[in-house]
Amino acid sequence: MENLILTKKKVLQINEDTFILIFEEDPDFSPGQFVMMETPALVRKPFILGRWMGKTAISVKIRGKGTKYLVFEATQIRCHLPLGNPFVPPNERGMAIVSTASITMASMLNEIYGVEVLVGSRTPLVMKTPFETVVGDNAFEERIKKLDYEWYLISGSIEMEKKAWNILKKRKTEIFLALEEYMGCGIGACKSCAIQTKYGIKHVCTDGPIFRGDELCW
Ligand code: FES
């Protein structure tokens, strides 16, 4: 893990409340890994790392003061990265089903491994992306029912992940879930990210953030 400063190069709005932050620097990381970013109150926030327009990028959903600061005010951000374990997709044809808050991670998987991407958004996108997008819960659920892939990676809010999981779990496919929403410190110190799995307690920051669906107690 490295402590470094990331310099914001560009901010793009994706939908009503989510933005892509593109950075000048190009640190080393793999898809699935995340960064902890410091905000003025010294609260660290986790974001799954990714790429956009060939540069290091994260997606940030506005949730409060810290995320507003990162999107609208910060120019240079103190960061700790890369954290967590890389995700290496299976060889078969698979799909990343993501919310706009994970679109940069999905973009990196697409860039490196050719993984197909489906984006689910509650509100219409205000920018063009190269990925299929469905807007609204009903359209999202209907689209998920029609998918036919060998594996899926689902990354978004817990509600969105559970919706997709409940539809896809009945099939004989591999399902992976990204759980970065659970994290506090990101480095194994606070234990706030402990989850019960079928194989005992695991920590999202050090054992994840991506888990096989069949090991979770959902
Ligand atoms: S987030 Fe603190 S131990 Fe995992």
Side-chain angles (χ1 to χ4, degrees):
M1 178 188 75
E2 244 190 298
N3 292 337
L4 54 87
I5 302 282
L6 287 183
T7 311
K8 258 164 57 187
K9 180 183 170 76
K10 203 169 196 173
V11 177
L12 304 170
Q13 184 165 9
I14 317 175
N15 65 6
E16 195 178 64
D17 59 5
T18 308
F19 296 78
I20 293 176
L21 275 50
I22 300 171
F23 300 101
E24 301 275 3
E25 296 80 4
D26 219 357
D28 207 20
F29 63 89
S30 302
Q33 293 190 294
F34 65 96
V35 55
M36 293 301 290
M37 293 193 158
E38 282 188 11
T39 62
L42 290 183
V43 178
R44 290 179 184 171
K45 298 202 171 291
F47 298 95
I48 201 141
L49 285 156
R51 292 179 68 78
W52 199 261
M53 295 165 69
K55 300 290 294 178
T56 298
I58 58 164
S59 311
V60 179
K61 183 178 167 111
I62 301 289
R63 297 172 199 275
K65 279 187 191 160
T67 44
K68 271 189 190 156
Y69 165 80
L70 293 173
V71 171
F72 299 116
E73 293 173 46
T75 50
Q76 295 202 304
I77 306 167
R78 191 174 294 280
C79 298
H80 310 271
L81 84 162
L83 299 163
N85 300 294
F87 172 70
V88 180
N91 287 331
E92 296 83 6
R93 187 167 164 259
M95 173 173 261
I97 302 169
V98 297
S99 69
T100 49
S102 299
I103 197 170
T104 53
M105 181 269 288
S107 172
M108 187 175 185
L109 283 171
N110 176 266
E111 187 182 305
I112 298 178
Y113 298 107
V115 171
E116 291 178 50
V117 177
L118 174 68
V119 179
S121 176
R122 282 235 161 93
T123 57
L125 301 201
V126 296
M127 64 176 267
K128 277 200 169 30
T129 83
F131 307 124
E132 179 188 351
T133 301
V134 282
V135 178
D137 289 352
N138 290 344
F140 180 70
E141 283 177 38
E142 289 311 309
R143 186 68 187 98
I144 299 286
K145 284 179 194 163
K146 292 185 186 130
L147 295 177
D148 185 17
Y149 290 83
E150 301 301 313
W151 62 268
Y152 300 93
L153 166 63
I154 311 168
S155 182
S157 66
I158 297 299
E159 302 80 59
M160 173 190 158
E161 290 188 356
K162 284 194 170 166
K163 255 187 202 114
W165 164 253
N166 284 331
I167 297 168
L168 296 171
K169 71 179 179 187
K170 297 159 200 150
R171 307 194 194 158
K172 286 194 171 26
T173 54
E174 279 187 290
I175 302 175
F176 303 90
L177 292 138
L179 301 183
E180 81 276 10
E181 277 204 357
Y182 284 84
M183 292 186 292
C185 74
I187 52 169
C190 72
K191 308 300 176 204
S192 68
C193 66
I195 54 164
Q196 183 68 49
T197 73
K198 290 182 183 153
Y199 310 105
I201 300 280
K202 292 205 174 180
H203 292 91
V204 175
C205 64
T206 48
D207 297 314
I210 293 174
F211 291 85
R212 289 182 58 95
D214 56 13
E215 67 178 303
L216 299 178
C217 303
W218 277 20

